[in-house]
Amino acid sequence: MTTFQAKIYVTLRPSVLDPAGTAVRSGLEHMGYDNVDQVRIGKYVELSLSAESEAAAAEQLDRMCDQLLANPVIENYRFEISATH
Amino acid sequence: MTTFQAKIYVTLRPSVLDPAGTAVRSGLEHMGYDNVDQVRIGKYVELSLSAESEAAAAEQLDRMCDQLLANPVIENYRFEISATH
């Protein structure tokens, strides 16, 4: 078994409104940053998992994202995996 | 002025407890994923901003993160900038 480090990025689908992003953009504008646009807020998850291979880790991460870490109806996800030594 | 796309990663400092990460790890364990460890949950922000140069964009992003996007007392941040054409 190898230990892998995974970085998972969960983002709202482009068609889904992002009220938190709109609020941050508005807050930035009130602070004087009026050159900022298209603020979208997502989640960033780091975890480690042990698996037989990188392919097995990726397959498990896909299931974990679909079942718990992301809401596939409104969110997309992608991840990066690296073996830790 | 050039438009830059920024990807900002906000993570809890290693010394700060992450109850949400602990809850996700526990949830994954209950779902049968007992090979997962060290779950840490952060924020991922995408935005576009216009600036004279990449250095100016980076300098502004630093200020925006310190003032609004991250809490420097408990969080670290890093970002990537790319010019959009």
Side-chain angles (χ1 to χ4, degrees), chain A residues 2-10 44-51 53-72 76-83, chain B residues 24 28 31 33 35-40:
Chain A
T2 310
T3 301
F4 295 92
Q5 181 74 18
K7 297 177 178 182
I8 304 157
Y9 310 88
V10 180
Y44 172 62
V45 182
E46 289 179 343
L47 56 82
S48 66
L49 77 169
S50 54
S53 66
E54 188 166 320
E59 193 264 340
Q60 180 180 332
L61 278 166
D62 257 326
R63 279 186 286 125
M64 282 163 39
C65 285
D66 280 329
Q67 292 174 17
L68 184 75
L69 301 177
N71 177 348
N76 291 323
Y77 64 83
R78 63 190 166 83
F79 51 76
E80 297 159 6
I81 306 174
S82 55
Chain B
V24 166
L28 288 169
M31 293 163 70
Y33 302 112
N35 59 335
V36 177
D37 207 358
Q38 295 171 345
V39 181
R40 304 283 285 179

Short mmCIF file of all heavy atoms in Angstrom, two decimals, chain A residues 2-10 44-51 53-72 76-83, chain B residues 24 28 31 33 35-40:
data_model
loop_
_atom_site.label_atom_id
_atom_site.label_comp_id
_atom_site.label_asym_id
_atom_site.label_seq_id
_atom_site.Cartn_x
_atom_site.Cartn_y
_atom_site.Cartn_z
N THR A 2 0.50 2.18 -0.83
CA THR A 2 1.20 3.46 -0.90
C THR A 2 0.29 4.55 -0.35
O THR A 2 -0.93 4.47 -0.49
CB THR A 2 1.55 3.79 -2.36
OG1 THR A 2 2.19 2.67 -2.96
CG2 THR A 2 2.47 4.99 -2.45
N THR A 3 0.90 5.53 0.29
CA THR A 3 0.10 6.66 0.76
C THR A 3 0.14 7.76 -0.29
O THR A 3 1.20 8.15 -0.77
CB THR A 3 0.64 7.18 2.09
OG1 THR A 3 0.60 6.12 3.05
CG2 THR A 3 -0.22 8.34 2.60
N PHE A 4 -1.05 8.23 -0.65
CA PHE A 4 -1.16 9.30 -1.64
C PHE A 4 -1.73 10.54 -0.98
O PHE A 4 -2.56 10.46 -0.07
CB PHE A 4 -2.10 8.87 -2.79
CG PHE A 4 -1.57 7.73 -3.59
CD1 PHE A 4 -1.91 6.41 -3.26
CD2 PHE A 4 -0.73 7.95 -4.67
CE1 PHE A 4 -1.42 5.35 -4.00
CE2 PHE A 4 -0.23 6.89 -5.40
CZ PHE A 4 -0.57 5.58 -5.06
N GLN A 5 -1.26 11.68 -1.46
CA GLN A 5 -1.79 12.97 -1.02
C GLN A 5 -2.69 13.48 -2.14
O GLN A 5 -2.29 13.51 -3.31
CB GLN A 5 -0.63 13.94 -0.77
CG GLN A 5 -1.04 15.32 -0.29
CD GLN A 5 -1.49 15.33 1.17
OE1 GLN A 5 -1.20 14.39 1.92
NE2 GLN A 5 -2.22 16.35 1.54
N ALA A 6 -3.92 13.84 -1.79
CA ALA A 6 -4.87 14.32 -2.79
C ALA A 6 -5.26 15.76 -2.51
O ALA A 6 -5.45 16.15 -1.35
CB ALA A 6 -6.11 13.43 -2.81
N LYS A 7 -5.34 16.54 -3.57
CA LYS A 7 -5.86 17.91 -3.50
C LYS A 7 -7.11 17.95 -4.37
O LYS A 7 -7.05 17.67 -5.56
CB LYS A 7 -4.83 18.91 -4.01
CG LYS A 7 -3.58 18.94 -3.18
CD LYS A 7 -2.55 19.89 -3.77
CE LYS A 7 -1.31 19.93 -2.86
NZ LYS A 7 -0.30 20.87 -3.37
N ILE A 8 -8.23 18.28 -3.75
CA ILE A 8 -9.52 18.22 -4.43
C ILE A 8 -10.10 19.64 -4.52
O ILE A 8 -10.15 20.36 -3.51
CB ILE A 8 -10.49 17.31 -3.65
CG1 ILE A 8 -9.88 15.92 -3.48
CG2 ILE A 8 -11.85 17.23 -4.36
CD1 ILE A 8 -10.44 15.15 -2.32
N TYR A 9 -10.51 20.02 -5.70
CA TYR A 9 -11.09 21.34 -5.94
C TYR A 9 -12.55 21.15 -6.30
O TYR A 9 -12.86 20.46 -7.28
CB TYR A 9 -10.37 22.05 -7.08
CG TYR A 9 -8.88 22.05 -6.94
CD1 TYR A 9 -8.12 21.01 -7.46
CD2 TYR A 9 -8.23 23.07 -6.27
CE1 TYR A 9 -6.73 20.99 -7.32
CE2 TYR A 9 -6.85 23.06 -6.12
CZ TYR A 9 -6.11 22.01 -6.65
OH TYR A 9 -4.75 21.99 -6.51
N VAL A 10 -13.44 21.71 -5.52
CA VAL A 10 -14.88 21.61 -5.78
C VAL A 10 -15.38 23.01 -6.15
O VAL A 10 -15.22 23.96 -5.38
CB VAL A 10 -15.64 21.09 -4.55
CG1 VAL A 10 -17.13 20.98 -4.84
CG2 VAL A 10 -15.08 19.74 -4.12
N TYR A 44 -11.77 23.59 -1.18
CA TYR A 44 -10.47 22.98 -1.44
C TYR A 44 -10.22 21.98 -0.33
O TYR A 44 -10.20 22.35 0.84
CB TYR A 44 -9.40 24.08 -1.45
CG TYR A 44 -7.99 23.59 -1.52
CD1 TYR A 44 -7.55 22.85 -2.62
CD2 TYR A 44 -7.08 23.85 -0.51
CE1 TYR A 44 -6.26 22.40 -2.70
CE2 TYR A 44 -5.78 23.41 -0.57
CZ TYR A 44 -5.37 22.69 -1.67
OH TYR A 44 -4.08 22.24 -1.74
N VAL A 45 -10.10 20.72 -0.68
CA VAL A 45 -9.94 19.66 0.32
C VAL A 45 -8.60 18.97 0.12
O VAL A 45 -8.26 18.57 -1.01
CB VAL A 45 -11.09 18.62 0.22
CG1 VAL A 45 -10.94 17.56 1.30
CG2 VAL A 45 -12.44 19.30 0.30
N GLU A 46 -7.85 18.85 1.19
CA GLU A 46 -6.62 18.06 1.17
C GLU A 46 -6.83 16.84 2.04
O GLU A 46 -7.40 16.94 3.13
CB GLU A 46 -5.45 18.88 1.73
CG GLU A 46 -4.97 20.02 0.85
CD GLU A 46 -3.82 20.79 1.49
OE1 GLU A 46 -3.62 20.65 2.71
OE2 GLU A 46 -3.14 21.51 0.76
N LEU A 47 -6.39 15.69 1.57
CA LEU A 47 -6.47 14.49 2.39
C LEU A 47 -5.40 13.51 1.95
O LEU A 47 -4.83 13.63 0.86
CB LEU A 47 -7.86 13.85 2.33
CG LEU A 47 -8.46 13.45 0.97
CD1 LEU A 47 -7.93 12.10 0.51
CD2 LEU A 47 -9.98 13.38 1.07
N SER A 48 -5.13 12.55 2.81
CA SER A 48 -4.22 11.48 2.41
C SER A 48 -4.98 10.17 2.45
O SER A 48 -5.91 9.99 3.26
CB SER A 48 -3.00 11.44 3.34
OG SER A 48 -3.38 11.08 4.64
N LEU A 49 -4.65 9.30 1.55
CA LEU A 49 -5.29 7.97 1.56
C LEU A 49 -4.28 6.94 1.09
O LEU A 49 -3.36 7.24 0.33
CB LEU A 49 -6.55 7.93 0.69
CG LEU A 49 -6.47 7.84 -0.83
CD1 LEU A 49 -7.85 7.55 -1.39
CD2 LEU A 49 -5.97 9.15 -1.42
N SER A 50 -4.46 5.73 1.59
CA SER A 50 -3.57 4.64 1.19
C SER A 50 -4.29 3.78 0.16
O SER A 50 -5.49 3.51 0.29
CB SER A 50 -3.16 3.81 2.40
OG SER A 50 -4.31 3.37 3.09
N ALA A 51 -3.57 3.38 -0.85
CA ALA A 51 -4.17 2.57 -1.91
C ALA A 51 -3.07 1.75 -2.59
O ALA A 51 -1.88 2.03 -2.44
CB ALA A 51 -4.88 3.46 -2.94
N SER A 53 -2.53 1.51 -5.81
CA SER A 53 -1.95 2.20 -6.96
C SER A 53 -2.59 3.57 -7.09
O SER A 53 -3.63 3.84 -6.48
CB SER A 53 -2.20 1.40 -8.23
OG SER A 53 -3.60 1.38 -8.51
N GLU A 54 -1.98 4.40 -7.92
CA GLU A 54 -2.55 5.72 -8.14
C GLU A 54 -3.91 5.59 -8.82
O GLU A 54 -4.84 6.37 -8.53
CB GLU A 54 -1.60 6.56 -9.01
CG GLU A 54 -2.04 8.00 -9.12
CD GLU A 54 -0.96 8.91 -9.70
OE1 GLU A 54 0.23 8.73 -9.34
OE2 GLU A 54 -1.31 9.80 -10.49
N ALA A 55 -4.05 4.61 -9.72
CA ALA A 55 -5.34 4.42 -10.39
C ALA A 55 -6.43 4.04 -9.38
O ALA A 55 -7.56 4.53 -9.45
CB ALA A 55 -5.22 3.35 -11.47
N ALA A 56 -6.07 3.19 -8.42
CA ALA A 56 -7.05 2.80 -7.40
C ALA A 56 -7.41 4.00 -6.53
O ALA A 56 -8.58 4.18 -6.15
CB ALA A 56 -6.49 1.66 -6.54
N ALA A 57 -6.42 4.83 -6.20
CA ALA A 57 -6.70 6.03 -5.41
C ALA A 57 -7.63 6.97 -6.17
O ALA A 57 -8.57 7.52 -5.59
CB ALA A 57 -5.39 6.72 -5.06
N ALA A 58 -7.38 7.14 -7.47
CA ALA A 58 -8.21 8.04 -8.28
C ALA A 58 -9.64 7.51 -8.36
O ALA A 58 -10.61 8.28 -8.27
CB ALA A 58 -7.62 8.18 -9.68
N GLU A 59 -9.77 6.20 -8.50
CA GLU A 59 -11.10 5.61 -8.60
C GLU A 59 -11.87 5.83 -7.29
O GLU A 59 -13.05 6.19 -7.30
CB GLU A 59 -10.96 4.12 -8.94
CG GLU A 59 -12.24 3.44 -9.36
CD GLU A 59 -12.91 2.75 -8.19
OE1 GLU A 59 -12.22 2.46 -7.18
OE2 GLU A 59 -14.12 2.51 -8.28
N GLN A 60 -11.18 5.66 -6.16
CA GLN A 60 -11.84 5.88 -4.87
C GLN A 60 -12.18 7.35 -4.66
O GLN A 60 -13.26 7.68 -4.16
CB GLN A 60 -10.94 5.37 -3.74
CG GLN A 60 -11.60 5.58 -2.37
CD GLN A 60 -10.75 5.09 -1.21
OE1 GLN A 60 -9.94 4.17 -1.36
NE2 GLN A 60 -10.93 5.70 -0.06
N LEU A 61 -11.28 8.24 -5.06
CA LEU A 61 -11.55 9.67 -4.92
C LEU A 61 -12.78 10.08 -5.74
O LEU A 61 -13.59 10.90 -5.29
CB LEU A 61 -10.33 10.48 -5.37
CG LEU A 61 -9.22 10.64 -4.34
CD1 LEU A 61 -7.95 11.15 -4.99
CD2 LEU A 61 -9.65 11.59 -3.22
N ASP A 62 -12.92 9.53 -6.92
CA ASP A 62 -14.10 9.81 -7.74
C ASP A 62 -15.38 9.45 -6.99
O ASP A 62 -16.33 10.23 -6.94
CB ASP A 62 -14.03 9.01 -9.05
CG ASP A 62 -13.62 9.86 -10.23
OD1 ASP A 62 -13.99 11.05 -10.26
OD2 ASP A 62 -12.92 9.34 -11.12
N ARG A 63 -15.37 8.28 -6.39
CA ARG A 63 -16.57 7.85 -5.65
C ARG A 63 -16.80 8.74 -4.43
O ARG A 63 -17.94 9.14 -4.14
CB ARG A 63 -16.42 6.39 -5.23
CG ARG A 63 -16.77 5.40 -6.36
CD ARG A 63 -16.77 3.96 -5.87
NE ARG A 63 -15.41 3.46 -5.67
CZ ARG A 63 -14.94 2.93 -4.55
NH1 ARG A 63 -15.73 2.82 -3.50
NH2 ARG A 63 -13.70 2.49 -4.47
N MET A 64 -15.73 9.06 -3.70
CA MET A 64 -15.87 9.91 -2.51
C MET A 64 -16.42 11.28 -2.88
O MET A 64 -17.24 11.85 -2.15
CB MET A 64 -14.52 10.03 -1.79
CG MET A 64 -14.17 8.80 -0.98
SD MET A 64 -12.41 8.66 -0.51
CE MET A 64 -12.00 10.34 -0.12
N CYS A 65 -15.94 11.83 -4.00
CA CYS A 65 -16.43 13.15 -4.42
C CYS A 65 -17.91 13.06 -4.80
O CYS A 65 -18.71 13.92 -4.41
CB CYS A 65 -15.62 13.66 -5.61
SG CYS A 65 -13.98 14.23 -5.15
N ASP A 66 -18.28 12.03 -5.56
CA ASP A 66 -19.67 11.90 -5.99
C ASP A 66 -20.60 11.69 -4.80
O ASP A 66 -21.75 12.15 -4.80
CB ASP A 66 -19.81 10.72 -6.97
CG ASP A 66 -19.39 11.10 -8.37
OD1 ASP A 66 -19.56 12.27 -8.75
OD2 ASP A 66 -18.89 10.22 -9.09
N GLN A 67 -20.11 10.98 -3.78
CA GLN A 67 -21.00 10.60 -2.68
C GLN A 67 -21.02 11.60 -1.53
O GLN A 67 -22.02 11.72 -0.84
CB GLN A 67 -20.57 9.22 -2.13
CG GLN A 67 -20.81 8.09 -3.11
CD GLN A 67 -20.24 6.77 -2.59
OE1 GLN A 67 -19.95 6.62 -1.42
NE2 GLN A 67 -20.09 5.80 -3.49
N LEU A 68 -19.91 12.30 -1.31
CA LEU A 68 -19.86 13.15 -0.12
C LEU A 68 -19.24 14.52 -0.34
O LEU A 68 -19.80 15.53 0.09
CB LEU A 68 -19.10 12.43 1.01
CG LEU A 68 -19.08 13.18 2.35
CD1 LEU A 68 -20.43 13.08 3.04
CD2 LEU A 68 -17.98 12.67 3.26
N LEU A 69 -18.10 14.57 -1.00
CA LEU A 69 -17.34 15.82 -1.02
C LEU A 69 -17.94 16.88 -1.93
O LEU A 69 -17.80 18.08 -1.68
CB LEU A 69 -15.89 15.55 -1.41
CG LEU A 69 -15.14 14.59 -0.48
CD1 LEU A 69 -13.73 14.33 -1.00
CD2 LEU A 69 -15.08 15.15 0.93
N ALA A 70 -18.63 16.45 -2.98
CA ALA A 70 -19.24 17.42 -3.90
C ALA A 70 -20.70 17.04 -4.10
O ALA A 70 -21.11 15.90 -3.85
CB ALA A 70 -18.51 17.42 -5.24
N ASN A 71 -21.48 18.00 -4.52
CA ASN A 71 -22.87 17.75 -4.90
C ASN A 71 -22.92 17.78 -6.43
O ASN A 71 -22.90 18.86 -7.03
CB ASN A 71 -23.77 18.84 -4.31
CG ASN A 71 -25.21 18.66 -4.73
OD1 ASN A 71 -25.52 17.88 -5.62
ND2 ASN A 71 -26.11 19.39 -4.09
N PRO A 72 -22.97 16.61 -7.07
CA PRO A 72 -22.84 16.57 -8.53
C PRO A 72 -23.93 17.34 -9.26
O PRO A 72 -23.76 17.68 -10.43
CB PRO A 72 -22.92 15.07 -8.85
CG PRO A 72 -22.67 14.37 -7.57
CD PRO A 72 -23.15 15.28 -6.48
N ASN A 76 -18.91 20.88 -9.80
CA ASN A 76 -17.90 20.08 -10.48
C ASN A 76 -16.75 19.84 -9.51
O ASN A 76 -16.57 20.58 -8.55
CB ASN A 76 -17.35 20.83 -11.69
CG ASN A 76 -18.37 20.97 -12.80
OD1 ASN A 76 -19.15 20.07 -13.05
ND2 ASN A 76 -18.35 22.12 -13.47
N TYR A 77 -15.96 18.83 -9.78
CA TYR A 77 -14.76 18.64 -8.99
C TYR A 77 -13.62 18.14 -9.88
O TYR A 77 -13.85 17.59 -10.95
CB TYR A 77 -15.01 17.66 -7.83
CG TYR A 77 -15.35 16.25 -8.28
CD1 TYR A 77 -14.35 15.35 -8.63
CD2 TYR A 77 -16.66 15.84 -8.37
CE1 TYR A 77 -14.66 14.07 -9.06
CE2 TYR A 77 -16.99 14.56 -8.80
CZ TYR A 77 -15.98 13.68 -9.14
OH TYR A 77 -16.29 12.42 -9.58
N ARG A 78 -12.43 18.40 -9.41
CA ARG A 78 -11.25 17.81 -10.02
C ARG A 78 -10.25 17.58 -8.91
O ARG A 78 -10.36 18.17 -7.83
CB ARG A 78 -10.68 18.71 -11.12
CG ARG A 78 -10.20 20.06 -10.65
CD ARG A 78 -9.87 20.99 -11.81
NE ARG A 78 -9.73 22.35 -11.33
CZ ARG A 78 -8.64 22.87 -10.80
NH1 ARG A 78 -7.55 22.11 -10.69
NH2 ARG A 78 -8.58 24.11 -10.37
N PHE A 79 -9.31 16.69 -9.12
CA PHE A 79 -8.33 16.45 -8.07
C PHE A 79 -6.97 16.12 -8.66
O PHE A 79 -6.86 15.75 -9.84
CB PHE A 79 -8.79 15.34 -7.11
CG PHE A 79 -9.21 14.06 -7.78
CD1 PHE A 79 -8.28 13.18 -8.29
CD2 PHE A 79 -10.56 13.73 -7.87
CE1 PHE A 79 -8.68 12.00 -8.89
CE2 PHE A 79 -10.97 12.55 -8.47
CZ PHE A 79 -10.03 11.69 -8.99
N GLU A 80 -5.97 16.33 -7.82
CA GLU A 80 -4.59 15.97 -8.16
C GLU A 80 -4.13 14.96 -7.11
O GLU A 80 -4.44 15.11 -5.93
CB GLU A 80 -3.68 17.20 -8.11
CG GLU A 80 -4.04 18.26 -9.13
CD GLU A 80 -3.49 19.63 -8.75
OE1 GLU A 80 -2.73 19.73 -7.76
OE2 GLU A 80 -3.84 20.60 -9.45
N ILE A 81 -3.37 13.98 -7.55
CA ILE A 81 -2.86 12.96 -6.63
C ILE A 81 -1.35 12.90 -6.75
O ILE A 81 -0.81 12.96 -7.85
CB ILE A 81 -3.42 11.56 -6.99
CG1 ILE A 81 -4.94 11.57 -7.07
CG2 ILE A 81 -2.97 10.53 -5.97
CD1 ILE A 81 -5.49 10.24 -7.57
N SER A 82 -0.69 12.81 -5.61
CA SER A 82 0.75 12.58 -5.66
C SER A 82 1.10 11.56 -4.59
O SER A 82 0.53 11.56 -3.49
CB SER A 82 1.51 13.88 -5.43
OG SER A 82 1.11 14.47 -4.22
N ALA A 83 2.03 10.67 -4.91
CA ALA A 83 2.48 9.69 -3.93
C ALA A 83 3.41 10.39 -2.94
O ALA A 83 4.21 11.24 -3.33
CB ALA A 83 3.21 8.55 -4.63
N VAL B 24 -15.77 15.34 8.06
CA VAL B 24 -15.74 14.69 6.74
C VAL B 24 -15.00 13.36 6.83
O VAL B 24 -15.43 12.34 6.28
CB VAL B 24 -15.09 15.62 5.70
CG1 VAL B 24 -14.74 14.85 4.43
CG2 VAL B 24 -16.02 16.77 5.36
N LEU B 28 -16.62 9.83 5.92
CA LEU B 28 -16.04 8.90 4.94
C LEU B 28 -15.81 7.53 5.58
O LEU B 28 -16.05 6.49 4.95
CB LEU B 28 -14.71 9.47 4.41
CG LEU B 28 -14.82 10.68 3.47
CD1 LEU B 28 -13.45 11.31 3.24
CD2 LEU B 28 -15.44 10.27 2.14
N MET B 31 -18.81 5.55 5.71
CA MET B 31 -19.20 5.07 4.38
C MET B 31 -18.28 3.95 3.89
O MET B 31 -18.43 3.47 2.77
CB MET B 31 -19.18 6.24 3.40
CG MET B 31 -20.25 7.29 3.69
SD MET B 31 -19.90 8.86 2.87
CE MET B 31 -20.19 8.38 1.17
N TYR B 33 -14.84 4.15 3.79
CA TYR B 33 -13.51 4.59 3.35
C TYR B 33 -12.62 4.78 4.59
O TYR B 33 -12.42 5.89 5.07
CB TYR B 33 -13.63 5.90 2.57
CG TYR B 33 -14.53 5.80 1.37
CD1 TYR B 33 -15.74 6.48 1.31
CD2 TYR B 33 -14.17 5.01 0.27
CE1 TYR B 33 -16.57 6.37 0.20
CE2 TYR B 33 -14.99 4.90 -0.84
CZ TYR B 33 -16.19 5.59 -0.86
OH TYR B 33 -17.00 5.48 -1.96
N ASN B 35 -9.47 4.17 4.85
CA ASN B 35 -8.06 4.36 4.51
C ASN B 35 -7.72 5.84 4.29
O ASN B 35 -6.72 6.17 3.69
CB ASN B 35 -7.71 3.57 3.25
CG ASN B 35 -8.56 4.00 2.06
OD1 ASN B 35 -9.66 4.51 2.26
ND2 ASN B 35 -8.08 3.79 0.85
N VAL B 36 -8.62 6.72 4.76
CA VAL B 36 -8.45 8.15 4.54
C VAL B 36 -8.01 8.81 5.83
O VAL B 36 -8.48 8.45 6.91
CB VAL B 36 -9.77 8.78 4.04
CG1 VAL B 36 -9.62 10.28 3.87
CG2 VAL B 36 -10.19 8.14 2.73
N ASP B 37 -7.10 9.77 5.72
CA ASP B 37 -6.58 10.41 6.92
C ASP B 37 -6.30 11.88 6.61
O ASP B 37 -6.23 12.29 5.46
CB ASP B 37 -5.28 9.71 7.33
CG ASP B 37 -5.02 9.84 8.83
OD1 ASP B 37 -5.83 10.51 9.51
OD2 ASP B 37 -4.03 9.28 9.30
N GLN B 38 -6.15 12.66 7.66
CA GLN B 38 -5.69 14.05 7.53
C GLN B 38 -6.52 14.86 6.55
O GLN B 38 -5.98 15.46 5.61
CB GLN B 38 -4.22 14.08 7.13
CG GLN B 38 -3.31 13.50 8.20
CD GLN B 38 -1.87 13.34 7.72
OE1 GLN B 38 -1.60 13.41 6.53
NE2 GLN B 38 -0.98 13.13 8.66
N VAL B 39 -7.82 14.89 6.75
CA VAL B 39 -8.70 15.69 5.89
C VAL B 39 -8.69 17.13 6.38
O VAL B 39 -8.96 17.40 7.55
CB VAL B 39 -10.14 15.13 5.90
CG1 VAL B 39 -11.02 15.95 4.97
CG2 VAL B 39 -10.15 13.67 5.51
N ARG B 40 -8.35 18.05 5.50
CA ARG B 40 -8.34 19.48 5.83
C ARG B 40 -9.17 20.18 4.77
O ARG B 40 -8.99 19.96 3.58
CB ARG B 40 -6.92 20.05 5.82
CG ARG B 40 -5.95 19.34 6.74
CD ARG B 40 -6.12 19.70 8.17
NE ARG B 40 -5.60 21.03 8.49
CZ ARG B 40 -5.65 21.56 9.71
NH1 ARG B 40 -6.23 20.88 10.71
NH2 ARG B 40 -5.19 22.77 9.94
#
